[in-house]
């Protein structure tokens, strides 16, 4: 019986998985490929003509400057919040966790309108850097908090026994091991900054991406936008290589597998009040501003505005349903893309796996508008029935947000002992069944986190929807935008309120699921 | 190095007492092994000493300085100068071996490197190890580096938490020797926590047996093994045959005859401890011509350990009672064979326990039929 079952290699990447991953990579890279092709088709000169050298330099400088200020700030915020929540006796840790995750799931176009409405201080460069740092630091927080939870407490204890105080232990033992998580998180923030559009327009800050949009709206020349996007593609590739170079071999696996015990939390003592004040200030900026502005819009508007709002209420139900359906479909598709890729990256490390995983990140390099245009181009040429159908929009959303799903899945899958899968294989299960019966149930929290993250991003997406949404449909985002751009804030507010409520729900799921493995009795 | 004194340590988690009024003294320059099963509180005690856990009661002092006193004093772990070797070593994965060893040294000393090489050599690793990444080491080497790292900054005492767990037998013996050598060279005051009695007996100058958060006995290894404080300690530190008996005037009457008592003083019903290696077997020759009053038994089975063999025997009287003998394994009686038993040396007696407390051995066994002997291995 045993002899008749051919023993397969347990470690080498199975061809089936590899084939699926290559297929996924091709789909995900399609918009990038089309963009490059369009750009090289002679649009280059026209595009370059549209932008003279000096203003190009200014715009470039703007993009780089925001990224250079916002990403280290996001890293600092994320690591600080994660350390205090995971390693100190800060009171109300669950509430702070929720508030540290919530900004990520909040639609950036709502937040940026809120920032813009405050005054001039929160506009321009300061506003642009601030909104990016405070909206994206949760991604660093989630990754770093997960890494902290996975770190053997014995390492910190040993450092303490060797005479290091809490501060020096942090810099000499904890921080070096957080490097992969921290760099990964900061990289995502940088990439997001480079292609961000809605927020910068609202805050009146000119960057390269904003120029691409202007270029497109001015001339409707897809090739011009594509040519300009070449720049962000090149930068993205450079960053992806740079990050793996910085990371080097620093993919720390635990050297020992000693008995896990709960960490000893650092006592804040007298520092408790200032730390609490800091957390309160952070939450005030990241969550308080959009929620407060929303409440203001709802309560302080003029009579006329409120009439407009009540007139819009009847669209609210349909918009919510459409948004939710799009979000769920996008999340499921992104999960389907991300699962094989992250499995390959976690279980069969090697140059090929790295290239395939990293290639999914390239979809980041495209401003969503450009991605949507190139997908529309592909569809109109090769699949006309897809063109202007909602399927194309779902596909675009899944492609755009698959990197986040990969990040969330990796954080969980990396914690599942390969020995468990090996045991399942040794009990006679094939790779697919071993995955379905062992890996997938254990990774359920991570899959939920990945799905919810993509769901929230789809809800908060505007650029893709504006290009690809069939004309008879409307979402919470498009309705908000339609009203907010005509400064009918009261009318826009109900849509924003539903968006914010949904994003809080998503944050609640994320905080309990991200980077976790299912435990006995847990979900 | 300094001495360690723990007095009246108490600690409970959610109302469950983990440590209760525990006293422990470790003289300067000696190693005390704390032996306990899982859940006996031994790791908690270690964490109280080093300061990761605050006790509810009692005090800890190192070299005369009180580092912890419940409710009053709690010196931070990094200010105690207590070396700590965590389970499985806990080497910093982002540092090389040399950087790990030098971790607790002042910057100048770290850069100069002499102490790093010195402590590496102390644990039996040569200087070439310094440049290697920590994760490339074998399990045994990891434990050695962890000890070198703990010793390098000249701690006042060293605590080792199950330092050899997860190592295979040969590696374990080697590593154990290297650790003992290093501790002796440094004249270290050390506390080693383990659940392995052989490890505790072979390494400790003294062995402290922990049971339900209390110190059951603290003694030199040989004294602990030969004269354990009670029947539980007796069976925890080694294999034990326990039988009911009647003590009087320095002797005890039991199923194995009239035996000399190592701890006289008890009279009346007692529990007798006979170590398996104290039992001597001779063939019964099939006749009734054996020594007068000698106990007779039948061999049930062998368990072969290489250096020695444990023979399970079924006594003739009382019928069905069984016991274990450990012999060197040169001439083994076959299963089913009848033997006569003699006891070498004096035995230890304990006050008889309540009838409800079952005896761990000398219990009634199903009588194996003679044509179906459970053969030895």
């Amino acid at each position: 019986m045993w002899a008749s079952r051919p023993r397969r290699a347990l470690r080498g990447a199975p061809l089936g998985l590899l084939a699926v991953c290559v297929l996924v990579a091709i789909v995900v890279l399609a918009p990038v490929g089309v963009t490059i092709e369009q750009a090289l088709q002679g649009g280059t000169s026209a595009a370059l003509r549209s932008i003279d050298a000096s203003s190009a330099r200014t715009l470039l400088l703007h993009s780089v400057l925001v990224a250079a200020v916002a990403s280290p700030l996001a890293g600092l915020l994320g690591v600080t919040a994660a350390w205090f929540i995971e390693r100190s006796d800060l009171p109300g840790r669950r509430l702070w966790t929720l508030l540290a995750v919530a900004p990520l799931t909040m639609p950036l176009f709502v937040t940026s309108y809120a920032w813009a409405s405050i005054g001039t201080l929160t506009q321009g460069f300061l506003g642009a850097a601030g909104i990016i740092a405070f909206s994206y630091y949760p991604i660093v927080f989630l990754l770093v908090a997960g890494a902290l939870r996975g770190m053997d407490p014995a390492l910190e204890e040993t450092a303490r026994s060797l005479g290091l105080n809490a501060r020096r232990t942090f810099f000499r033992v904890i921080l070096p091991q957080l490097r992969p998580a921290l760099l990964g998180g900061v990289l995502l923030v940088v990439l997001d900054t480079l292609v961000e559009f809605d927020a910068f327009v609202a805050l009146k800050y000119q960057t390269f991406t904003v120029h691409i949009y202007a270029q497109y709206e001015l001339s409707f020349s897809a090739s011009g936008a594509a040519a300009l996007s070449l720049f962000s593609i090149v930068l993205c590739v450079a960053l992806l290589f740079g990050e793996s170079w910085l990371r080097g071999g620093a993919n720390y696996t635990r050297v020992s597998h000693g008995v896990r015990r709960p960490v000893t939390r650092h006592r804040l003592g007298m520092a408790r009040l200032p730390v609490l004040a800091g957390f309160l200030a952070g939450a005030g900026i990241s969550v308080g501003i959009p929620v407060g502005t929303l409440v203001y819009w709802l309560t302080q508007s003029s009579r006329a505005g409120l009439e407009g709002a009540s007139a819009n209420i009847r669209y609210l139900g349909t918009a919510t349903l459409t948004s939710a359906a799009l979000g769920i479909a996008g999340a499921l598709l992104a999960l389907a893309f991300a699962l094989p890729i992250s499995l390959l990256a976690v279980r069969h490390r090697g140059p090929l796996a790295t290239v395939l995983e990293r290639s999914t990140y390239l979809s980041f390099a495209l401003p969503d508008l450009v991605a949507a245009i190139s997908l529309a181009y592909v569809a109109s040429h090769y699949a006309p029935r897809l063109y202007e159908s909602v399927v194309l929009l779902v596909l675009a959303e899944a492609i755009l947000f698959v990197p986040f799903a990969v990040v969330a899945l990796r954080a969980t899958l990396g914690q599942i002992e390969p020995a468990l899968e090996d045991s399942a294989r040794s009990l006679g299960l094939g790779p697919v069944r071993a995955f379905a019966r062992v890996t997938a149930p254990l990774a359920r929290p991570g899959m939920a986190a990945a799905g919810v993250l993509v769901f929230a991003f789809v809800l908060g997406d505007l650029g893709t929807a504006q290009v690809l949404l069939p004309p008879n449909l409307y979402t919470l985002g498009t309705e908000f935008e339609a009203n907010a751009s005509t400064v009918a804030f009261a009318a826009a507010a109900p849509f924003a309120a539903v968006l914010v409520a949904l994003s809080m729900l998503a944050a609640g799921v994320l905080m309990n699921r991200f980077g976790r493995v299912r435990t006995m009795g847990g979900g | 190095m300094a001495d360690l004194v723990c007095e009246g340590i108490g600690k409970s988690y959610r109302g469950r007492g983990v440590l209760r009024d525990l006293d422990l003294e470790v003289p300067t320059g000696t190693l005390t092994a704390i032996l306990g099963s899982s859940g006996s509180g031994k790791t908690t005690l270690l964490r109280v000493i080093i300061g990761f856990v605050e006790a509810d009661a009692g005090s800890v002092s190192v070299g005369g300085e009180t580092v912890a006193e419940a409710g009053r004093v709690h010196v931070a772990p990094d200010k105690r100068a207590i070396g700590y070797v965590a389970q499985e070593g806990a080497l910093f994965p982002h540092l090389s071996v040399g950087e790990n060893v030098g971790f607790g040294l002042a910057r100048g000393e770290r850069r100069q490197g002499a102490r790093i090489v010195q402590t590496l050599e102390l644990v039996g690793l040569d200087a070439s190890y310094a440049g290697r990444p920590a994760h490339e080491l074998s399990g045994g080497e990891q434990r050695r580096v962890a000890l070198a790292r703990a010793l390098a900054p000249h701690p006042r005492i060293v605590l080792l938490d199950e330092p050899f767990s997860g190592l295979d037998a040969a590696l374990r013996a080697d590593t154990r020797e290297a650790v003992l050598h290093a501790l002796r060279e440094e004249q270290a005051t050390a506390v080693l926590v383990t659940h392995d009695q052989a490890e505790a007996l072979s390494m400790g100058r003294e062995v402290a047996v922990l049971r339900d958060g209390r110190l059951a006995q603290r003694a030199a290894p040989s004294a602990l093994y030969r004269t354990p404080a009670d029947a539980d300690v007796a069976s925890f530190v080694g294999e034990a045959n326990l039988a009911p008996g009647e003590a009087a005037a320095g002797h005890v009457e039991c199923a194995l005859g009239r035996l000399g008592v190592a701890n006289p003083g008890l009279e009346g019903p007692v529990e007798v401890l006979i170590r398996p290696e104290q039992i001597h077997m001779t063939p019964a020759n099939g006749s009734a011509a054996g020594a007068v009053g000698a106990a007779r038994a039948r061999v049930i089975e062998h368990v072969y350990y290489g250096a020695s063999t444990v023979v399970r025997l079924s006594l003739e009287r009382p019928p069905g009672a069984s016991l274990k003998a450990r012999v060197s394994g040169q001439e083994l009686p076959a299963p089913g064979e009848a033997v006569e038993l003699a006891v070498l040396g004096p035995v230890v007696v304990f006050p008889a326990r309540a009838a409800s407390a079952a005896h761990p051995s000398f219990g009634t066994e199903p009588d194996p039929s003679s044509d179906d002997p459970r053969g030895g291995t």
Side-chain angles (χ1 to χ4, degrees):
Chain A
M1 295 265 244
W2 286 98
S4 68
R5 199 187 304 268
R7 198 187 132 83
R8 301 187 195 93
L10 290 180
R11 281 270 177 262
L15 276 178
L17 180 62
L18 216 56
V20 172
C21 287
V22 170
L23 214 64
V24 169
I26 289 173
V27 172
V28 172
L29 286 179
V32 178
V34 171
T35 305
I36 295 176
E37 202 240 310
Q38 286 187 335
L40 297 180
Q41 254 178 14
T44 323
S45 55
L48 289 182
R49 244 178 287 124
S50 79
I51 182 168
D52 64 271
S54 74
S55 73
R57 221 175 299 139
T58 317
L59 291 178
L60 248 168
L61 195 68
H62 278 186
S63 291
V64 172
L65 219 56
V66 178
V69 171
S71 56
L73 184 57
L76 185 70
L77 286 169
V79 172
T80 311
W83 188 85
F84 278 109
I85 286 174
E86 294 296 333
R87 286 294 194 270
S88 83
D89 63 347
L90 180 79
R93 289 191 292 270
R94 282 191 63 78
L95 175 69
W96 297 123
T97 309
L98 177 70
L99 290 173
V101 176
L104 186 64
T105 55
M106 204 143 342
L108 202 54
F109 54 80
V110 173
T111 315
S112 49
Y113 269 109
W115 282 53
S117 71
I118 289 179
T120 46
L121 184 71
T122 49
Q123 295 183 9
F125 174 75
L126 213 59
I131 202 167
I132 288 291
F134 278 95
S135 298
Y136 284 112
Y137 89 87
I139 194 79
V140 177
F141 168 80
L142 283 169
L143 289 168
V144 168
L148 273 173
R149 277 195 304 273
M151 205 182 290
D152 186 356
L155 295 177
E156 288 154 64
E157 289 170 3
T158 306
R160 294 303 296 276
S161 81
L162 289 166
L164 270 64
N165 59 22
R167 194 176 57 81
R168 289 178 61 213
T169 302
F170 176 80
F171 285 108
R172 284 187 60 193
V173 175
I174 300 179
L175 197 57
Q177 299 193 71
L178 293 181
R179 212 170 68 180
L182 181 57
L183 278 177
V186 168
L187 175 71
L188 290 177
V189 180
V190 173
L191 293 177
D192 261 316
T193 316
L194 293 181
V195 297
E196 180 52 48
F197 166 68
D198 297 320
F200 294 162
V201 169
L203 296 171
K204 301 185 181 67
Y205 189 69
Q206 282 289 319
T207 63
F208 213 81
T209 303
V210 174
H211 181 79
I212 294 176
Y213 277 74
Q215 185 64 31
Y216 177 72
E217 282 181 355
L218 215 68
S219 62
F220 275 92
S221 138
S223 62
L228 291 171
S229 300
L230 273 185
F231 157 74
S232 63
I233 293 173
V234 169
L235 204 61
C236 182
V237 170
L239 278 168
L240 287 171
F241 276 102
E243 196 252 357
S244 32
W245 173 74
L246 269 177
R247 193 197 287 232
N251 243 328
Y252 304 121
T253 43
R254 286 180 64 204
V255 174
S256 62
H257 295 273
V259 180
R260 278 302 192 72
R261 55 171 81 90
V263 291
T264 347
R265 288 188 178 273
H266 179 74
R267 288 201 193 156
L268 293 176
M270 298 290 282
R272 185 176 290 196
L273 277 180
V275 170
L276 274 176
F279 267 86
L280 204 62
I285 295 172
S286 59
V287 181
I289 290 180
V291 173
T293 311
L294 196 57
V295 172
Y296 178 83
W297 285 345
L298 282 171
T299 54
Q300 300 295 313
S301 299
S302 68
R303 205 151 205 275
L306 280 179
E307 272 163 18
S310 58
N312 265 323
I313 291 290
R314 58 202 167 93
Y315 300 119
L316 196 60
T318 325
T320 306
L321 279 179
T322 311
S323 282
L326 279 175
I328 291 170
L332 289 178
L333 191 57
L335 261 184
F337 286 163
L339 253 178
I341 294 282
S342 42
L343 259 181
L344 188 77
V346 167
R347 284 291 180 260
H348 308 283
R349 261 186 221 159
L352 189 58
T354 309
V355 166
L356 283 171
E357 188 216 354
R358 292 280 150 153
S359 66
T360 62
Y361 284 58
L362 265 183
S363 63
F364 256 144
L366 290 185
D368 44 14
L369 178 87
V370 177
I373 295 169
S374 28
L375 270 178
Y377 173 84
V378 174
S380 62
H381 276 70
Y382 303 105
R385 292 185 61 188
L386 229 59
Y387 188 62
E388 290 218 336
S389 104
V390 78
V391 177
L392 198 61
L393 175 57
V394 170
L395 182 66
E397 308 270 26
I399 288 176
L400 274 176
F401 301 125
V402 81
F404 283 100
V406 170
V407 167
L409 281 175
R410 280 198 60 161
T412 290
L413 288 174
Q415 291 177 50
I416 298 173
E417 293 265 354
L420 296 176
E421 284 156 28
D422 292 350
S423 304
R425 298 295 303 277
S426 74
L427 291 168
L429 271 64
V432 175
R433 286 212 300 150
F435 172 79
R437 285 183 54 194
V438 176
T439 320
L442 283 170
R444 219 158 65 187
M447 292 201 261
V452 162
L453 200 55
V454 175
F455 175 82
F457 281 131
V458 173
L459 247 54
D461 168 75
L462 209 51
T464 325
Q466 280 172 337
V467 177
L468 294 179
L469 195 68
N472 56 335
L473 289 181
Y474 50 91
T475 67
L476 290 168
T478 56
E479 285 306 286
F480 172 84
E481 167 70 17
N483 288 298
S485 56
T486 55
V487 211
F489 288 127
F495 299 102
V498 175
L499 280 169
V500 167
L502 283 174
S503 78
M504 283 304 219
L505 277 178
V509 174
L510 264 187
M511 70 177 271
N512 291 322
R513 304 279 197 283
F514 190 93
R516 303 213 190 231
V517 173
R518 188 167 153 219
T519 46
M520 288 276 284
Chain B
M1 293 269 174
D3 65 329
L4 167 74
V5 180
C6 302
E7 278 175 334
I9 305 286
K11 176 75 192 173
S12 44
Y13 288 107
R14 297 188 196 94
R16 200 175 63 84
V18 177
L19 295 174
R20 307 163 207 219
D21 194 24
L22 192 134
D23 295 327
L24 181 72
E25 267 175 61
V26 181
T28 310
T30 67
L31 187 148
T32 292
I34 296 180
L35 176 63
S37 50
S38 62
S40 62
K42 54 190 194 305
T43 296
T44 306
L45 176 62
L46 211 63
R47 297 172 69 74
V48 166
I49 296 172
I50 195 164
F52 297 142
V53 168
E54 266 186 74
D56 306 328
S59 67
V60 179
S61 67
V62 177
E65 182 213 344
T66 303
V67 294
E69 192 176 340
R72 289 213 197 107
V73 185
H74 180 79
V75 177
D78 45 301
K79 302 281 185 294
R80 291 193 184 187
I82 294 179
Y84 171 58
V85 179
Q87 267 181 37
E88 320 240 334
L91 296 187
F92 301 123
H94 58 298
L95 301 178
S96 70
V97 168
E99 286 166 331
N100 261 286
V101 174
F103 192 88
L105 298 175
R107 190 163 298 160
E109 223 178 340
R110 219 186 305 156
R111 211 163 290 159
Q112 191 242 336
R115 179 66 181 159
I116 297 175
V117 173
Q118 190 189 356
T119 33
L120 271 178
E121 280 167 359
L122 200 62
V123 296
L125 299 174
D126 66 78
S128 68
Y129 273 81
R132 290 169 57 171
H135 62 83
E136 278 182 10
L137 300 183
S138 72
E141 289 165 341
Q142 284 182 24
R143 318 304 162 92
R144 292 180 195 216
V145 173
L147 178 67
R149 179 178 64 184
L151 288 175
H154 299 285
R156 293 188 290 183
I157 57 174
V158 187
L159 310 181
L160 303 103
D161 188 1
E162 303 264 10
F164 312 110
S165 64
L167 298 183
D168 62 61
L171 202 55
R172 182 180 274 249
D174 276 357
T175 313
R176 205 185 279 177
E177 225 154 90
V179 165
L180 271 180
H181 169 79
L183 291 174
R184 217 175 287 131
E185 286 290 306
E186 289 281 298
Q187 295 176 322
T189 311
V191 176
L192 177 140
V193 153
T194 179
H195 64 269
D196 180 330
Q197 48 270 43
E199 194 168 295
L201 294 174
S202 63
M203 293 194 72
R205 164 87 68 86
E206 287 202 324
V207 178
V209 179
L210 221 55
R211 185 174 60 204
D212 292 333
R214 279 183 232 273
L215 190 65
Q217 188 174 7
R218 184 167 68 95
S222 60
L224 181 71
Y225 189 78
R226 288 211 201 104
T227 54
D230 57 43
D232 275 344
V233 173
S235 12
F236 188 57
V237 299
E239 276 192 284
N241 294 304
L242 291 163
E246 197 70 26
H251 281 80
V252 61
E253 198 73 50
C254 68
L256 289 182
R258 187 175 147 85
L259 309 171
V261 170
N263 58 339
L266 281 176
E267 301 279 322
V270 290
E271 199 169 7
V272 187
L273 163 69
I274 304 161
R275 293 285 183 200
E277 61 275 14
Q278 282 185 283
I279 295 177
H280 183 71
M281 291 180 295
T282 45
N285 293 331
S287 69
V292 179
R296 289 164 61 97
R298 200 167 284 280
V299 174
I300 302 173
E301 63 176 357
H302 300 153
V303 182
Y304 188 66
Y305 288 105
S308 68
T309 300
V310 170
V311 181
R312 231 149 56 78
L313 301 159
S314 167
L315 281 176
E316 252 172 31
R317 265 187 318 256
S322 76
L323 77 165
K324 284 176 182 170
R326 185 182 285 273
V327 293
S328 69
Q330 296 297 330
E331 288 169 31
L332 285 173
E337 210 172 297
V339 290
E340 276 179 8
L341 307 178
V343 174
L344 307 173
V347 296
V348 177
V349 295
F350 310 114
R353 286 185 281 193
S356 61
H359 293 303
S361 63
F362 271 49
T364 321
E365 292 262 344
D367 194 23
S369 58
S370 52
D371 56 4
D372 181 26
R374 280 176 280 172
T377 34

